[in-house]
């Protein structure tokens, strides 16, 4: 979770730096780079909470610690790749980052449903 916080702070600082550079107090002022930075930050804020919540619930459901670490690491990597792709307008990175994010959300949701059904994972 600390890495998620660092990502949010880095993306927010990028927005603030571009607002100062372009002398924009609110919104994007019509600057594409600022709009991209705002969307990268907003998208992270939209997806990180549900992913982290699914990880927390999986841990509470006594999921294997190694799997929690793998899922969390891949989730953060996906969010970083996506944020980089949005910020720099690199569409393949956006796609890869979003696909990784969505698949991990699905996997974590399924793992939590399995835990709810009483199915224990080895590990």
């Amino acid at each position: 979770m600390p890495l998620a916080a660092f990502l949010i702070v880095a993306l927010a600082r990028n927005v603030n730096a571009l607002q100062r550079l372009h002398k924009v107090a609110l919104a994007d002022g019509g600057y594409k780079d600022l709009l991209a930075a705002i969307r990268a930050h907003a998208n992270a804020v939209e997806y990180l909470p549900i992913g982290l919540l699914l990880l927390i619930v999986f841990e509470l459901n006594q999921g294997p610690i190694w799997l929690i670490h793998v899922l969390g690491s891949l989730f953060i990597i996906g969010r970083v790749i996506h944020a980089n792709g949005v910020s720099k307008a690199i569409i393949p990175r956006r796609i890869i980052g979003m696909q990784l994010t969505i698949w991990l959300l699905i996997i974590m949701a399924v793992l939590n449903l399995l835990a709810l059904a009483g199915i224990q994972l080895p590990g």
Side-chain angles (χ1 to χ4, degrees):
M1 281 192 259
L3 293 178
F6 291 143
L7 177 59
I8 294 295
V9 169
L11 294 171
R13 289 189 64 180
N14 189 38
V15 170
N16 292 335
L18 289 170
Q19 285 174 326
R20 284 193 306 277
L21 175 70
H22 296 305
K23 296 178 177 32
V24 174
L26 187 62
D28 60 40
Y31 294 96
K32 288 185 179 184
D33 60 342
L34 180 52
L35 174 60
I38 290 168
R39 283 308 311 146
H41 178 262
N43 194 277
V45 170
E46 293 162 4
Y47 281 92
L48 282 170
I50 187 65
L52 295 176
L53 183 60
L54 286 167
L55 276 174
I56 291 167
V57 172
F58 190 52
E59 183 176 7
L60 293 173
N61 284 326
Q62 299 177 345
I65 194 69
W66 69 268
L67 185 54
I68 293 167
H69 285 283
V70 168
L71 293 169
S73 296
L74 289 172
F75 186 69
I76 293 297
I77 289 168
R79 295 285 71 220
V80 169
I81 292 170
H82 183 266
N84 182 266
V86 171
S87 296
K88 296 181 179 178
I90 303 171
I91 292 175
R93 287 187 194 166
R94 289 178 60 191
I95 293 169
I96 291 167
M98 205 62 225
Q99 287 178 340
L100 189 54
T101 297
I102 294 299
W103 278 110
L104 284 163
L105 289 176
I106 292 167
I107 290 166
M108 291 187 287
V110 168
L111 288 172
N112 278 300
L113 287 172
L114 293 173
L116 183 65
I119 299 170
Q120 293 280 356
L121 296 174

